[in-house]
Amino acid sequence: MHSITAAFKPDSSGTAPKQMPYIPHLKLSDGTEIPMLAYGLGTARSKAKGKADLDDEIVKLATMAINNGYFHLDGAESYGNEAELGTAIKTAGVPREKLYVTTKLWDAKKQDVQTAFDTSLAKLGLDYVDLYLVHSPFVVDTAEELQEVWAKMEAIKESGKAKSIGVSNFLQEHLDTIRQTAKIQPVINQIEFHPYLQHGDLLEYHRKHNIAVSAYGPLTAVTKASPGPLDGMYKALASKYGVTEADIALRWCIDQGVVTITTSGSEQRLQGYMKKLPDFKLTPKEIEQISELGTEKHFRGFWSNKFAADDRR
């Protein structure tokens, strides 16, 4: 089982810093800790392909997120904005050891894994990343090739340049494939996860094998997939706890031990999450009710070209 810990340790005076927001951390299977609320630079934050110059707006948004306490930064090679993220890190001036930086490997069919990683580090302007992920099982064509990619990920982990390694958008069969030959197990799987896409028994599989889960698209039931069967319950719970429906959606993930990613460009909204999320928890019954209502609708917002529209895994 993964354990959730406080974001800040007491200082020499025995008092935890009060000027920073509270973010719970999840201890991963390799002993490292990951902040459970992240700022993501994907989707709307991706840079247009072919644009060589720095995108000042992306730099501004990422810097704003860091300055508001979002020290877990989720990037990727395919987003095209690693240089912008690196610039934002320098601009914000937060000590490197306080940050948790994630990036991801894209198409291993067209490039060497080590070269791709070195390029990502150079664009980020960092000596290491905290987490390096295989962006999807479709970076290669065959199971054997996927196992070879994972072996190269293990070498990167052993070099110390990536503190932890994991995967993204993997289903159980993909995880089984790399686990057959893995010397180092993936510590996390980042997937689209919300009440309308609960992936059947995939979460239970993760818990059984001590693989953490990270959720992108956690607000889907509030945004893209509304109206839906959860609308009324989200509204009622938001009123009960004095928060927004988005807070309820994020809390549903965090209360299940799932690392949660937001990509909001609104400083007010990001500040609201930091202020409200630590102040309440959903009850086990409320978590279960949201989960049950969620099964009444299926919605997949990403990777529909790889997974069938009705695939609930």
Side-chain angles (χ1 to χ4, degrees):
M1 292 292 291
H2 297 92
S3 60
I4 299 174
T5 63
F8 301 106
K9 305 290 190 296
D11 60 22
S12 59
S13 66
T15 303
K18 294 183 179 180
Q19 72 273 20
M20 294 304 300
Y22 168 84
I23 302 176
H25 282 49
L26 187 71
K27 181 171 283 189
L28 300 175
S29 60
D30 62 2
T32 61
E33 293 187 358
I34 183 171
M36 294 190 69
L37 185 61
Y39 185 73
L41 280 90
T43 56
R45 307 292 155 247
S46 296
K47 188 165 71 175
K49 290 184 178 180
K51 183 175 181 179
D53 295 337
L54 276 180
D55 189 315
D56 293 335
E57 184 62 21
I58 295 175
V59 174
K60 180 180 176 181
L61 287 171
T63 303
M64 177 270 291
I66 297 170
N67 288 337
N68 279 283
Y70 287 78
F71 290 175
H72 179 180
L73 304 163
D74 184 84
E77 173 192 346
S78 68
Y79 302 160
N81 55 25
E82 288 172 312
E84 282 76 7
L85 175 54
T87 301
I89 289 171
K90 292 177 183 177
T91 302
V94 173
R96 174 66 183 94
E97 63 272 14
K98 291 184 177 293
L99 299 176
Y100 191 99
V101 181
T102 299
T103 196
K104 309 177 189 77
L105 167 73
W106 189 231
D107 193 346
K109 290 178 285 189
K110 296 182 179 179
Q111 60 184 337
D112 174 71
V113 175
Q114 183 66 54
T115 300
F117 177 71
D118 291 341
T119 300
S120 289
L121 272 188
K123 288 181 177 180
L124 289 165
L126 300 177
D127 295 325
Y128 70 93
V129 294
D130 297 274
L131 180 63
Y132 192 45
L133 304 178
V134 180
H135 205 143
S136 88
F138 311 114
V139 297
V140 288
D141 295 320
T142 69
E144 291 76 14
E145 289 172 336
L146 191 57
Q147 290 170 341
E148 291 174 6
V149 165
W150 187 251
K152 294 175 182 178
M153 295 286 288
E154 291 175 327
I156 290 171
K157 155 74 172 172
E158 290 173 341
S159 76
K161 296 293 186 178
K163 302 298 183 183
S164 300
I165 53 174
V167 297
S168 182
N169 299 299
F170 275 47
L171 300 181
Q172 180 174 331
E173 57 260 38
H174 307 127
L175 289 165
D176 282 339
T177 293
I178 63 171
R179 291 185 65 253
Q180 287 174 7
T181 58
K183 297 177 181 177
I184 301 173
Q185 298 296 321
V187 298
I188 200 166
N189 184 14
Q190 184 182 120
I191 55 176
E192 180 183 352
F193 180 71
H194 47 79
Y196 296 150
L197 186 60
Q198 298 181 52
H199 298 275
D201 60 358
L202 185 59
L203 257 65
E204 185 57 36
Y205 173 93
H206 284 87
R207 293 184 181 115
K208 178 180 178 182
H209 296 289
N210 207 19
I211 301 170
V213 175
S214 177
Y216 66 84
L219 301 182
T220 295
V222 178
T223 55
K224 293 182 179 180
S226 183
L230 276 167
D231 292 359
M233 185 168 191
Y234 273 154
K235 184 176 181 179
L237 288 174
S239 177
K240 172 184 175 180
Y241 290 109
V243 299
T244 68
E245 293 176 34
D247 291 320
I248 298 299
L250 294 176
R251 195 75 237 191
W252 179 78
C253 292
I254 292 171
D255 285 341
Q256 296 182 83
V258 174
V259 176
T260 307
I261 301 168
T262 178
T263 59
S264 177
S266 166
E267 184 169 23
Q268 182 179 7
R269 194 168 295 122
L270 291 177
Q271 290 174 344
Y273 296 154
M274 285 290 186
K275 181 179 179 181
K276 294 292 187 179
L277 288 176
D279 290 343
F280 78 101
K281 286 186 66 174
L282 298 174
T283 67
K285 183 177 180 180
E286 288 165 348
I287 294 170
E288 183 179 356
Q289 288 174 328
I290 291 172
S291 300
E292 289 178 353
L293 280 172
T295 63
E296 296 179 9
K297 180 172 182 173
H298 174 67
F299 185 94
R300 181 185 289 278
F302 299 89
W303 295 93
S304 57
N305 63 325
K306 295 294 185 181
F307 300 108
D310 61 351
D311 190 343
R312 294 172 179 261
R313 295 178 299 166

